[in-house]
Amino acid sequence: MRNSMRFLTFLLLITILISCKKDKDPEEPPKIISSSGKEYDPTSYTLEYPDNFPVMELNEENPMTEEGVELGRKLYYDPILHPQGSRSCASCHDQKLSFTVSALKDGRSVMHHVNLGWASKFLWEGGVEGTLEDIMRFEVEDFFQTDVSKLQEHSTYPDDFFSAFGTEDVSTELCAKALAQFFRTMISSDSKFDKYLRGEVMLTASEFRGFDLFNTEKGDCFHCHSLPLFTDDKYHNIGLDSTFSGSDQGRYNVTGNSSDMGKFKTPTLRNIELTGPYMHDGRFQTLEEVVDFYSEGLQNSATIDPLMKNVHQGGVQLNPIEKQDLVNFLKTLTDTTYTQNPDLSYPF
Amino acid sequence: MEFPIKSILVIACSTLLFSCGENIIEPDPANAYFNVDYHIDDEPLVYDQMNYKNEAGNTYSVKTLDYYLSNITLHHSGGTVYSLAGPFYYDAFGVESQVIEFKNIPPGTYEKITMYLGLSEEQNISNSLPNTTENFNMAWPDQMGGGYHFMKLEGNFTSDTSSTTSPYALHLGTNSALVSVVINESFTLESGEQDFTLKMNLNEWFRSPYTYNLAVDGSHTMPDSLLRRRISSNGEDVFTLETDLEK
C-alpha cells in the first residue's frame, strides 16, 4: 500500500513538473548592418587536420570564420602592413620554400611558417610566448609597426573587416586576429612520410633506415623533433657553441637567466629540405652539414642540453651511409601539397 | 497552472514522496585531493641548481622531470579499495599541476596508497592517450618498444672523481620498467574536503635497493633495459604522504 502511494505520488509529481506552459521564444540578437547596408553574417570555418595530430587549441575570443581566414590571407600578402608599403609577410616567407626564404635577415635564418597553430613559443629565442594572436599582435605592432589608418582608408578593407568581425573600424587587434586565423589553416600533413603512416606509400630502404636512426637512440632526433609535428615546442642548447655572445646567447637574451644561455626553440623538420640555411644563424648550408654537426661537431658548455648524451665524443658518430640514410629520411618530410596549396597562396 | 500553485504542489508531493520509510543515517562522504610536490631529501626542488648530492656522491641538477601516475589506489582498512586509473601527466616545472581527486568515498582509516609511476600495460600502447602535445612529447618510439615514456628525469652532474659537468637523462619506458609505488602510511579521511600532498624525494631514485652512480652505471638509461630496471626498482618508495595538518 505504502509503495502504491509512493508510485502515485511520483506520477503526480512528474505530471505537475511537465505541465504545459508556453515559454517565450528567446530573443534574437540584433542584426549588425554595415554603413553600406550589408548584414554581418560570418560563415564558420571548419579546421581539418589528421587524427594523429595533437588537438589544436582554438581561441574562443577569435572564432574562426571563412571571412576571417580570407582577410588574414590578404593581410599576409599585402605590403599595406608596412608603413612605407615596401614589404609584406610573404616578402620573407615564400610559400614555395615552405614560407621562408634562403637569405638571412639581420643575421638570422628566417623560421618557416608551418603548423604554428600548435605552437606556444615563437621566434628563435621565444621572444613571444602564448597564442597566435599574441605573436601576430607583435608582428603588426612591433615588427611592421602597421599604420592602420591606411587600411581604414582603403577601398575594400573596411568592408572585409566588417565581414570578418562585424565592424568597419580597423584596429591592430583585429589585424592580429585575422592573421592568427589564417595561420591556423597553414597545416602541413601530406608529406611522403605522412602518406607512409597512412599506408599509401612505402619508404625506400634507405629512408626506412634513416627513420630508424631518427627514432631510436642511435640518432636520437625524436626527443626534440618529436612526431608528428617534428618539434617539441621547447628550447634547447644543442651544442652549436662552447661560448656565447650577442645573438648566439639565444633565450638568455629574452629571460636574462643564465640557465637559458645558448638555447633556441626547436624548429619543425617538416619541409626541412626546402628551408636552408639551417640553425638560427644559417651557419649550415645543407642538410648534410647539419647531420655532420650532430655526428661529430657538438661543443660542450654549462647549459648543454641533457639529451645531447654524446657531447663528450662530439656527437652520435654516424658513418657515411647512416648520414645519407638520415638525410634521405628528412627529405620524406617535404610536403608539396602544402607548398602548392592555393588556399595559402597569393590571393589578389 | 499558475506558478505559485504548481510550486506548492511540487513541494507537497516531494515531501509526501520522501517522508515515508525508515531513516538510515550514514556519514557524509569524503572528497580527498592529492597534490604533488618535490624535494631532494630536505631541500626543495629548484630548477637547474647544481647543488643536490645523491647517495653515490654525484652532485646534480634537475632540468626536466616529466612523468605519469596511474592506477592510484586508496586502501581502506575495511578491505575496500578506491582507484583512479588515470593516467595523470606531470611536469614538475610546469605552470599548472594536476590534482588527483577522489570524490564521494567513505571516510575512515586508509592503510596505504599504491600507484604506478608510469602506465599500466593496458594503457601503455602507442597513440592510445589523448592527442595532446604533452603526450606526443612523451611517446616512446615504436622501434624501441612503443608506448610512452613513464618518466624523464634530466639534468647535469659531476661525480666525486671528476669535476667535468656532464648531462644525464634517466628515461623510463617499456612495461618492464613500470614503477610500482607503495606509500605504506595510514591516514584518516574525514567527511568533507581534505587535502593531501604526495611528496617525491628525487634522491630515492638513486638510493635503494640499488645505489645508482651516474658516472659508473650510466648517465642515459633509454638504450639500456638493465639501467631502466635499476632506476625503476628504486622508485617503490620515492613518494611519501603529507596530510594538510602536517604542513
Side-chain angles (χ1 to χ4, degrees):
Chain A
M1 179 64 179
R2 186 179 294 167
N3 285 337
S4 299
M5 276 297 296
R6 281 197 195 185
F7 180 70
L8 286 171
T9 308
F10 176 74
L11 276 181
L12 181 60
L13 179 61
I14 295 296
T15 304
I16 292 168
L17 284 173
I18 64 174
S19 65
C20 298
K21 184 175 181 186
K22 187 170 175 157
D23 292 323
K24 286 170 71 174
D25 289 328
E27 287 188 20
E28 288 187 6
K31 293 182 182 177
I32 302 175
I33 308 294
S34 74
S35 60
S36 63
K38 179 178 171 183
E39 182 181 345
Y40 174 57
D41 187 23
T43 307
S44 180
Y45 186 99
T46 302
L47 202 59
E48 292 184 355
Y49 50 86
D51 292 338
N52 66 333
F53 271 43
V55 173
M56 187 189 293
E57 291 188 24
L58 303 179
N59 190 334
E60 289 181 353
E61 296 179 10
N62 188 19
M64 292 188 63
T65 65
E66 291 188 3
E67 293 82 0
V69 168
E70 186 58 20
L71 174 57
R73 178 161 75 130
K74 283 184 177 178
L75 293 175
Y76 189 90
Y77 282 96
D78 198 333
I80 199 171
L81 278 188
H82 189 267
Q84 284 78 49
S86 60
R87 64 176 190 266
S88 65
C89 307
S91 301
C92 298
H93 296 278
D94 182 352
Q95 183 179 13
K96 293 191 302 298
L97 300 179
S98 191
F99 297 99
T100 182
V101 291
S102 56
L104 299 183
K105 301 296 178 187
D106 297 325
R108 284 301 176 92
S109 166
V110 177
M111 298 192 91
H112 56 295
H113 291 162
V114 174
N115 295 342
L116 289 179
W118 284 280
S120 63
K121 301 170 178 63
F122 304 97
L123 308 175
W124 280 109
E125 303 95 343
V128 176
E129 290 187 334
T131 65
L132 274 171
E133 285 77 6
D134 292 326
I135 180 62
M136 289 304 125
R137 197 173 298 114
F138 164 82
E139 295 290 343
V140 174
E141 284 184 350
D142 297 299
F143 183 76
F144 280 103
Q145 299 180 4
T146 300
D147 180 358
V148 294
S149 67
K150 288 186 165 34
L151 288 151
Q152 192 70 67
E153 294 159 7
H154 193 273
S155 59
T156 59
Y157 272 117
D159 187 62
D160 290 337
F161 275 83
F162 178 83
S163 296
F165 298 110
T167 175
E168 293 169 280
D169 293 331
V170 180
S171 66
T172 55
E173 179 69 18
L174 293 182
C175 289
K177 283 187 170 181
L179 284 164
Q181 289 193 34
F182 175 60
F183 266 80
R184 288 193 172 94
T185 70
M186 298 172 76
I187 296 172
S188 174
S189 61
D190 199 38
S191 67
K192 180 177 182 179
F193 182 68
D194 293 305
K195 290 173 181 166
Y196 158 70
L197 290 180
R198 297 196 298 261
E200 297 169 10
V201 301
M202 288 299 292
L203 301 183
T204 66
S206 175
E207 291 165 352
F208 261 123
R209 292 194 301 268
F211 180 35
D212 282 346
L213 288 167
F214 185 96
N215 217 34
T216 64
E217 287 286 296
K218 176 65 179 174
D220 202 5
C221 314
F222 67 93
H223 272 126
C224 298
H225 296 285
S226 40
L227 278 61
L229 298 176
F230 289 91
T231 172
D232 60 358
D233 200 35
K234 295 183 180 181
Y235 309 106
H236 301 280
N237 170 0
I238 59 170
L240 285 169
D241 299 297
S242 57
T243 58
F244 308 93
S245 62
S247 63
D248 289 339
Q249 297 180 118
R251 180 109 180 111
Y252 171 81
N253 287 337
V254 175
T255 66
N257 186 335
S258 58
S259 295
D260 289 331
M261 185 65 71
K263 291 184 180 178
F264 294 91
K265 180 190 154 169
T266 311
T268 179
L269 296 182
R270 287 185 170 271
N271 296 312
I272 200 70
E273 180 184 12
L274 307 174
T275 64
Y278 304 103
M279 305 300 168
H280 64 281
D281 54 3
R283 63 180 65 186
F284 301 129
Q285 301 304 310
T286 65
L287 288 176
E288 285 78 5
E289 288 180 29
V290 173
V291 170
D292 283 341
F293 158 72
Y294 282 109
S295 183
E296 300 101 31
L298 301 188
Q299 298 188 55
N300 200 6
S301 63
T303 56
I304 188 75
D305 197 278
L307 294 169
M308 312 309 289
K309 62 180 180 292
N310 297 111
V311 63
H312 293 312
Q313 294 76 40
V316 293
Q317 304 293 305
L318 300 179
N319 65 42
I321 293 177
E322 290 170 331
K323 289 180 180 180
Q324 190 57 55
D325 288 341
L326 185 53
V327 169
N328 288 343
F329 169 70
L330 292 175
K331 290 180 178 178
T332 71
L333 304 181
T334 302
D335 179 2
T336 55
T337 304
Y338 184 69
T339 61
Q340 297 169 9
N341 184 351
D343 292 338
L344 305 179
S345 301
Y346 184 79
F348 297 106
Chain B
M1 296 186 199
E2 296 297 330
F3 170 73
I5 299 175
K6 188 196 289 190
S7 300
I8 292 167
L9 279 171
V10 166
I11 293 168
C13 291
S14 299
T15 305
L16 194 63
L17 185 63
F18 294 109
S19 65
C20 305
E22 295 177 5
N23 288 330
I24 301 172
I25 300 174
E26 292 186 0
D28 290 338
N31 298 326
Y33 304 98
F34 292 85
N35 299 280
V36 184
D37 198 6
Y38 310 93
H39 62 118
I40 300 179
D41 290 337
D42 296 326
E43 301 293 323
L45 175 63
V46 178
Y47 177 78
D48 198 18
Q49 294 296 304
M50 194 75 165
N51 56 5
Y52 302 119
K53 198 148 188 164
N54 66 16
E55 198 79 6
N58 308 139
T59 300
Y60 68 98
S61 66
V62 181
K63 295 181 175 181
T64 297
L65 175 56
D66 301 338
Y67 62 97
Y68 292 104
L69 295 178
S70 63
N71 282 49
I72 300 107
T73 303
L74 308 183
H75 296 255
H76 194 278
S77 59
T80 311
V81 297
Y82 302 91
S83 289
L84 290 173
F88 300 88
Y89 167 80
Y90 289 91
D91 170 2
F93 300 111
V95 175
E96 296 175 4
S97 184
Q98 288 204 71
V99 179
I100 300 167
E101 300 182 0
F102 283 87
K103 295 273 187 79
N104 297 319
I105 59 176
T109 301
Y110 288 77
E111 293 178 336
K112 62 181 178 181
I113 301 172
T114 59
M115 58 190 175
Y116 292 139
L117 188 140
L119 305 178
S120 68
E121 199 167 326
E122 294 74 32
Q123 295 170 331
N124 192 30
I125 297 171
S126 295
N127 302 309
S128 63
L129 296 186
N131 284 4
T132 65
T133 303
E134 291 81 13
N135 288 336
F136 277 112
N137 284 343
M138 291 293 275
W140 190 274
D142 286 341
Q143 292 94 328
M144 299 180 69
Y148 294 87
H149 282 74
F150 296 163
M151 180 176 79
K152 296 180 183 179
L153 172 56
E154 302 170 4
N156 294 98
F157 77 98
T158 59
S159 70
D160 52 4
T161 56
S162 172
S163 60
T164 302
T165 301
S166 298
Y168 75 88
L170 305 181
H171 288 191
L172 296 181
T174 71
N175 296 329
S176 62
L178 184 62
V179 183
S180 295
V181 177
V182 180
I183 304 175
N184 262 320
E185 299 175 38
S186 67
F187 59 96
T188 301
L189 200 55
E190 310 285 351
S191 294
E193 317 263 309
Q194 203 163 342
D195 287 318
F196 299 87
T197 300
L198 301 173
K199 298 196 72 170
M200 181 193 283
N201 181 357
L202 275 72
N203 258 356
E204 292 298 335
W205 291 113
F206 303 98
R207 180 167 282 146
S208 172
Y210 189 87
T211 302
Y212 194 96
N213 188 327
L214 291 166
V216 173
D217 293 290
S219 58
H220 290 74
T221 59
M222 192 157 177
D224 193 323
S225 62
L226 174 61
L227 299 185
R228 296 199 299 267
R229 287 200 301 275
R230 283 179 179 166
I231 296 294
S232 171
S233 68
N234 286 352
E236 181 179 306
D237 53 1
V238 76
F239 279 101
T240 55
L241 180 70
E242 184 179 86
T243 60
D244 210 17
L245 293 174
E246 294 173 8
K247 289 183 184 173

